[in-house]
Amino acid sequence: MRKYLLLLGFVITSQINVLAQKPATPASSKIYESIQKLNFLGSVLYVAAHPDDENTRLIAYMSNHIKARTAYLSLTRGDGGQNLIGPEIRELLGVIRTQELLAARRVDGGEQIFSRANDFGYSKRPEETLSIWDKEQVLSDVVLAIRKFKPDVIINRFDHRTLGTTHGHHTASAMLSFEAFDLAANKTAFPELLEYTSTWQPKRLFYNTSWWRYGSQEKFDEVDKSNMTSFDIGVYYPLKGLSNNEIADIARSQHLCQGFGRLSQRGSQKEYIEFIKGEKPEGDDIFSGIDTSWSRIKGGNAIGNILYEVENNFNFTNPSTHLPQLIKAYKLLQNIDDQHWKTIKTQELKHIIEMCAGLYLEASASTPAIATNNSVKIEIEALNRSTSNITLKSINISPLNQQENTDISLQNNKKFTYTFNSIIPKNIATTNPYWLNEKGTLGMYKVNDKTIIGNPETKRALQANFVLDFDGYTINFEKDVIYRYSKPDKGELYRPFEIIPEASAKISEKVIIFNNNKQQDISVIVKAERDNLEGHVEICHPNDWSVYPKNQKVSIKHKGEEQTLVFTVIPPKNESEGFISPIVHVGDKSYTKELIDISYEHIPHQTVLLPSESKVVRLDIKKRGENIAYIQGAGDVVPESLEQIGYNVRIIKTEEITAELLSNFDAVVVGIRAYNTLNALDFKQQTLFDFVAKGGNMIVQYNTSHRLKTKQLAPYKLKLSRDRVTDENANVTFLNPKHEVLNFPNKITQQDFDGWTQERGLYFPSDWGKEFTPILSMHDKNESPKNGSLLIAKHGKGYYIYTGLSFFREFPAGVSGAYRLFANMLSLGKKDLKLEAKLND
């Protein structure tokens, strides 16, 4: 039975992943649930800081059991975290996590909102967080979210009263929500927002507490809960064939880049929220004292009378019988003065009408992406799968202003098709995550269009508007133009249709290291998004660098093809760093961005435009050893970075690890979180330790103590902690300044710790055996010194090195000191005294 349940959970999750981009095909049970939700006029806003902070159990419960309109306000898009499924970090990781949140909401039934706050990395205190974020701007965004969503109830994931006990972003999210609760109703607070919305006062504010707030379940059991409300979030939904906690776990499992795939749970389970502010509810009904019926709005009773009847007498075998009632309610709804509920319920009711009629309305482009001033075919499909009298009056492609007045009766199950031959005008903007269009700051994204702040994603470029007549009453249905295609091994697939520039360029290496003043050839790859692209490319570069030739001609015959141009970059004689950027000139236009595709099965395909640039670093770096074995963990660019400074790097799989294979290498480097992600690595530990004992070096990068796959991380005692230094500019003290790692083959100085990005390091060991020598000490403001960032132990003839320093962040940023220090770690024990004496002479 257990195997069956596990398989069922896998099948459900797999279907969600594979069909993430496919239009929904709702069954009668789904239509009925939508009608239940239509008849509930109440809303809940859940507030936290990051993707994965949200309590999917509570969101699913509010949406599916209570039937409330429920949204999650995530202040950031999770840009500062790690990626367990691919190489994307920072902005691109934020794009992935945005889509994973949307995938989770498609499962648990919630909506998704964001602020402009940028996840700059771990922060220990909310004061630090709010000094890097622009507090007023983020507070404005929270107020805007409340005024637009108009929640009756707000639930904070974190406690605004527990400063410094969790991630600073977490506490800051609760503090801002607590403050915005009252400000949202104050017309003198952020009055500029009233141009887009109106003031709103939520009824009550809660904090989503749990045993972890008190340290243990035993301590929580003893807490006075008179100020708390509880729910059994394990409730079972017969219409879904799933319990609430199963739905929540499937939603949670959409956060794949964070490794949150999990088994589903079933059975009764309590969830608690603590009353914080507003009008205290009576009992466990968080909507007590709030009218959530249609009588809440003026003129709503007549609408409610119709829709409650549809709900109470729903025809599961033929939902289309309710169309006359639904159309009547729709007409009445258009006369309602309350614009907030009118807008929300119009969209909900329109969708129910569409589902009851079995309508299939689609607009599919002939290509997934196209540049402006080019032609594209848009295939229209309209199908009425009911016996109801429905006429397709017209179809309009917006914003192209192409319209076809069809005026054709859609007969039961008779497909209507039509093809638009469209030209994409020059004034249509390229598709891109809107928060990445302008350069922001470390803590904030810049969004010039105030009307889209909070939106989870950019509105799609083209929409098809289907005007349908239902027995004399017309309703407009808007559908995004998509791209539908198939693969032999996948079947039918969907992806968004996007507008892209006619030309883009990229340099494959994002960091290019020059070990000496010898010139290097670099490749610029130009891609055409139209036929017969003609132009030229030049490279912008720092003044003390040279590039030859000055420009080169680009000529690409077919759309989708690429041309590679080779430029010679000549570094200065002395150490220097800067950025080089390709510019593609086509006619009177210039293109400076790189087109990046993000493709994973569990989220829609994403196209991102970012400035095309690479960092060039001229440094004097020495090294010993040549051949490095790399064991990949959660994903980083360390192997490529080591190749940049002249090492031969071979990525090896866990099952390949043998004494014979390792004998070919000078060192083994273990990728970040490898001991959290590779179960089989535990069985290879002794082989790796033997390699060290025979004279090899082993460098292990950071892991977390949570879900550690081995009990023996090192040949000696080594205990991981949550110690970290988040200030990238924190002072670094050399505990053992004469140690070889700080002196050979490169002399490490304080300057080598300049320019570090996001943090010094994370998850340092807090306890270790006497065999280890701590090398560095560092700490954040008002904290004790942390000495575990770099630990070195002699083991036999070789060295075992454990480091929590964030090399995986510094290498992509081209931090020269990080390269020099890592080269020293790889070179440990390889000092040839005779050769050194000769070199010193």
Side-chain angles (χ1 to χ4, degrees):
M1 180 65 176
R2 179 172 171 79
K3 288 183 178 179
Y4 169 74
L5 291 172
L6 293 177
L7 179 61
L8 176 62
F10 172 76
V11 169
I12 292 170
T13 306
S14 297
Q15 288 177 338
I16 290 169
N17 289 349
V18 172
L19 303 180
Q21 304 170 55
K22 188 172 184 176
T25 51
S28 291
S29 59
K30 173 64 177 175
I31 302 173
Y32 178 67
E33 289 178 309
S34 298
I35 293 170
Q36 289 180 310
K37 200 172 182 73
L38 177 70
N39 284 334
F40 189 93
L41 280 71
S43 52
V44 177
L45 181 65
Y46 197 87
V47 181
H50 310 109
D52 85 354
D53 284 346
E54 82 275 25
N55 185 342
T56 53
R57 299 184 302 272
L58 200 50
I59 291 175
Y61 182 87
M62 293 296 164
S63 179
N64 296 284
H65 183 72
I66 303 297
K67 305 300 181 185
R69 182 181 180 224
T70 308
Y72 173 41
L73 169 57
S74 176
L75 295 193
T76 77
R77 297 176 185 265
D79 329 72
Q82 286 87 52
N83 184 359
L84 298 185
I85 61 173
E88 298 88 357
I89 59 174
R90 290 302 305 148
E91 295 89 349
L92 297 180
L93 179 60
V95 172
I96 293 174
R97 291 190 173 181
T98 294
Q99 291 300 321
E100 288 183 340
L101 275 175
L102 289 171
R105 299 295 81 80
R106 285 192 289 268
V107 176
D108 60 33
E111 300 174 36
Q112 188 60 53
I113 309 171
F114 291 96
S115 84
R116 289 170 290 173
N118 190 343
D119 179 3
F120 56 83
Y122 193 85
S123 174
K124 292 182 177 177
R125 296 190 63 83
E127 307 93 86
E128 179 195 32
T129 297
L130 295 174
S131 69
I132 297 176
W133 290 350
D134 185 320
K135 181 192 172 183
E136 285 302 298
Q137 283 192 27
V138 183
L139 180 60
S140 168
D141 291 353
V142 178
V143 169
L144 178 62
I146 294 172
R147 288 176 176 174
K148 288 176 69 174
F149 191 75
K150 301 191 184 307
D152 299 302
V153 176
I154 297 177
I155 302 175
N156 289 344
R157 182 64 171 122
F158 300 103
D159 191 346
H160 68 286
R161 301 161 296 188
T162 54
L163 306 184
T165 60
T166 182
H167 196 320
H169 296 185
H170 293 168
T171 309
S173 72
M175 292 168 64
L176 292 169
S177 176
F178 182 85
E179 189 173 352
F181 181 86
D182 295 319
L183 291 178
N186 184 348
K187 64 181 180 181
T188 64
F190 305 108
E192 68 279 3
L193 300 180
L194 298 178
E195 182 180 347
Y196 317 109
T197 185
S198 58
T199 57
W200 178 253
Q201 180 59 66
K203 186 69 71 173
R204 48 191 63 114
L205 173 69
F206 295 93
Y207 155 53
N208 186 191
T209 190
S210 178
W211 65 264
W212 46 260
R213 164 67 175 81
Y214 298 88
S216 69
Q217 184 63 52
E218 291 74 21
K219 290 181 180 178
F220 184 58
D221 290 341
E222 298 173 359
V223 171
D224 178 9
K225 298 181 177 62
S226 59
N227 203 38
M228 297 183 189
T229 299
S230 65
F231 316 96
D232 181 0
I233 50 84
V235 62
Y236 178 69
Y237 303 125
L239 289 172
K240 297 179 183 295
L242 292 168
S243 63
N244 186 78
N245 37 20
E246 286 176 292
I247 293 170
D249 285 332
I250 295 171
R252 187 78 167 166
S253 293
Q254 302 310 301
H255 295 297
L256 294 184
C257 76
Q258 301 188 68
F260 281 177
R262 59 175 58 190
L263 290 174
S264 296
Q265 300 181 39
R266 286 157 289 279
S268 180
Q269 188 176 355
K270 283 276 190 175
E271 191 73 45
Y272 293 87
I273 56 175
E274 177 185 353
F275 174 72
I276 298 295
K277 185 187 285 193
E279 296 181 15
K280 190 173 182 179
E282 296 181 6
D284 285 342
D285 180 10
I286 67 169
F287 283 98
S288 67
I290 303 171
D291 187 355
T292 59
S293 71
W294 277 99
S295 61
R296 176 173 188 163
I297 56 178
K298 184 180 179 181
N301 283 328
I303 301 170
N305 289 338
I306 299 170
L307 296 177
Y308 293 136
E309 155 115 31
V310 174
E311 179 182 344
N312 294 332
N313 299 284
F314 185 70
N315 188 334
F316 283 87
T317 59
N318 186 11
S320 66
T321 60
H322 299 295
L323 280 174
Q325 295 165 285
L326 296 173
I327 298 297
K328 184 178 180 181
Y330 187 92
K331 291 179 183 178
L332 293 173
L333 182 58
Q334 304 317 299
N335 298 321
I336 293 296
D337 292 331
D338 189 319
Q339 290 300 312
H340 175 70
W341 285 112
K342 176 182 176 180
T343 301
I344 293 167
K345 294 305 175 181
T346 292
Q347 288 302 114
E348 290 182 19
L349 186 50
K350 187 187 295 186
H351 185 50
I352 290 169
I353 291 170
E354 182 182 355
M355 291 189 290
C356 284
L359 285 170
Y360 188 85
L361 306 173
E362 181 180 273
S364 176
S366 54
T367 181
I370 195 169
T372 60
N373 206 32
N374 282 268
S375 62
V376 61
K377 290 183 178 181
I378 300 175
E379 301 289 343
I380 299 296
E381 181 178 336
L383 184 62
N384 169 21
R385 290 172 288 195
S386 74
T387 58
S388 301
N389 183 22
I390 302 173
T391 299
L392 178 61
K393 300 293 290 183
S394 64
I395 311 162
N396 175 274
I397 304 298
S398 174
L400 306 185
N401 294 322
Q402 280 189 286
Q403 181 165 314
E404 179 64 23
N405 296 316
T406 50
D407 203 22
I408 183 171
S409 176
L410 297 177
Q411 300 300 312
N412 181 26
N413 217 27
K414 301 292 185 182
K415 182 170 64 175
F416 169 81
T417 61
Y418 182 81
T419 300
F420 282 97
N421 292 302
S422 306
I423 301 291
I424 305 299
K426 293 182 179 180
N427 61 350
I428 289 188
T430 52
T431 308
N432 201 42
Y434 70 86
W435 60 96
L436 298 180
N437 284 334
E438 299 286 337
K439 185 175 178 61
T441 65
L442 175 64
M444 296 297 298
Y445 283 118
K446 183 179 179 181
V447 181
N448 292 323
D449 184 352
K450 305 301 183 184
T451 65
I452 61 176
I453 291 174
N455 291 356
E457 57 185 342
T458 303
K459 184 178 181 179
R460 289 294 152 191
L462 302 183
Q463 290 76 41
N465 299 289
F466 297 80
V467 180
L468 298 178
D469 182 295
F470 296 82
D471 277 331
Y473 188 80
T474 59
I475 300 176
N476 178 64
F477 296 85
E478 183 180 272
K479 299 291 180 181
D480 288 334
V481 174
I482 49 84
Y483 174 63
R484 181 165 65 105
Y485 64 109
S486 67
K487 287 186 176 181
D489 59 335
K490 299 288 186 181
E492 185 177 59
L493 296 170
Y494 287 77
R495 59 174 282 185
F497 171 72
E498 297 174 318
I499 308 299
I500 54 180
E502 61 179 335
S504 60
K506 67 177 180 180
I507 301 172
S508 298
E509 298 82 15
K510 295 306 174 188
V511 175
I512 306 171
I513 303 294
F514 291 76
N515 246 342
N516 48 48
N517 59 4
K518 292 182 179 178
Q519 63 190 36
Q520 289 188 37
D521 288 342
I522 64 161
S523 296
V524 175
I525 303 170
V526 181
K527 186 175 182 181
E529 295 300 338
R530 66 169 174 85
D531 293 338
N532 301 314
L533 183 77
E534 299 283 342
H536 69 274
V537 178
E538 65 172 322
I539 303 286
C540 287
H541 57 83
N543 291 334
D544 54 342
W545 294 66
S546 300
V547 175
Y548 178 84
K550 185 176 180 180
N551 61 67
Q552 293 191 57
K553 181 180 178 182
V554 61
S555 179
I556 303 176
K557 188 171 181 59
H558 300 293
K559 173 189 173 184
E561 287 187 345
E562 295 178 340
Q563 182 178 346
T564 300
L565 306 173
V566 178
F567 289 83
T568 299
V569 178
I570 306 167
K573 292 182 179 180
N574 300 318
E575 291 194 353
S576 173
E577 58 183 55
F579 291 91
I580 58 173
S581 305
I583 303 177
V584 184
H585 299 278
V586 180
D588 60 352
K589 292 187 176 181
S590 298
Y591 300 95
T592 60
K593 292 190 175 182
E594 175 182 355
L595 189 67
I596 303 166
D597 288 317
I598 300 177
S599 183
Y600 293 100
E601 285 191 349
H602 68 299
I603 60 174
H605 184 280
Q606 300 294 301
T607 297
V608 184
L609 287 164
L610 289 178
S612 180
E613 61 180 20
S614 293
K615 188 171 185 178
V616 287
V617 181
R618 164 72 175 95
L619 56 82
D620 291 317
I621 188 168
K622 304 178 183 68
K623 64 183 182 64
R624 295 293 183 271
E626 297 294 334
N627 301 314
I628 308 298
Y630 199 88
I631 303 170
Q632 287 186 312
D636 54 56
V637 295
V638 173
E640 297 91 329
S641 301
L642 296 179
E643 289 176 341
Q644 284 267 6
I645 56 174
Y647 283 103
N648 302 315
V649 182
R650 175 180 166 184
I651 296 174
I652 61 173
K653 297 180 180 179
T654 309
E655 59 269 22
E656 294 181 285
I657 298 174
T658 63
E660 182 180 2
L661 176 68
L662 296 181
S663 66
N664 298 306
F665 299 102
D666 300 298
V668 173
V669 180
V670 183
I672 60 173
R673 297 185 66 177
Y675 289 99
N676 297 132
T677 58
L678 303 175
N679 291 313
L681 195 54
D682 183 36
F683 306 116
K684 301 293 184 177
Q685 285 296 80
Q686 192 56 53
T687 304
L688 291 166
F689 296 158
D690 290 344
F691 163 76
V692 177
K694 293 177 182 178
N697 287 347
M698 180 178 178
I699 300 175
V700 179
Q701 298 176 86
Y702 96 93
N703 292 269
T704 67
S705 57
H706 182 57
R707 295 181 181 174
L708 199 61
K709 306 295 185 183
T710 182
K711 294 181 179 179
Q712 190 177 6
L713 188 60
Y716 308 113
K717 176 184 175 183
L718 187 68
K719 183 180 179 181
L720 301 182
S721 73
R722 297 186 65 82
D723 288 349
R724 63 197 301 163
V725 177
T726 61
D727 181 0
E728 63 268 39
N729 299 310
N731 183 58
V732 178
T733 300
F734 294 174
L735 296 175
N736 287 273
K738 294 183 180 180
H739 195 284
E740 184 179 334
V741 78
L742 295 177
N743 294 280
F744 177 83
N746 305 286
K747 179 68 174 178
I748 302 300
T749 69
Q750 289 294 334
Q751 285 186 315
D752 288 300
F753 292 92
D754 291 344
W756 284 52
T757 181
Q758 188 160 324
E759 61 201 352
R760 287 295 189 198
L762 61 172
Y763 301 112
F764 301 159
S766 58
D767 191 18
W768 50 85
K770 65 182 187 311
E771 296 85 356
F772 281 103
T773 299
I775 305 299
L776 307 171
S777 180
M778 57 191 71
H779 63 88
D780 283 322
K781 186 178 180 181
N782 299 324
E783 291 195 357
S784 60
K786 304 295 185 287
N787 298 341
S789 64
L790 178 58
L791 301 173
I792 300 175
K794 190 84 164 66
H795 182 59
K797 297 179 180 180
Y799 289 88
Y800 176 94
I801 304 164
Y802 189 91
T803 180
L805 294 171
S806 58
F807 290 102
F808 72 102
R809 294 198 189 282
E810 312 317 318
F811 285 170
V815 178
S816 57
Y819 281 91
R820 287 159 50 83
L821 179 57
F822 210 95
N824 281 15
M825 291 156 56
L826 291 168
S827 302
L828 270 176
K830 297 174 174 58
K831 190 171 184 179
D832 186 326
L833 296 178
K834 292 182 179 179
L835 177 60
E836 287 301 305
K838 185 177 180 180
L839 290 174
N840 290 332
D841 288 341

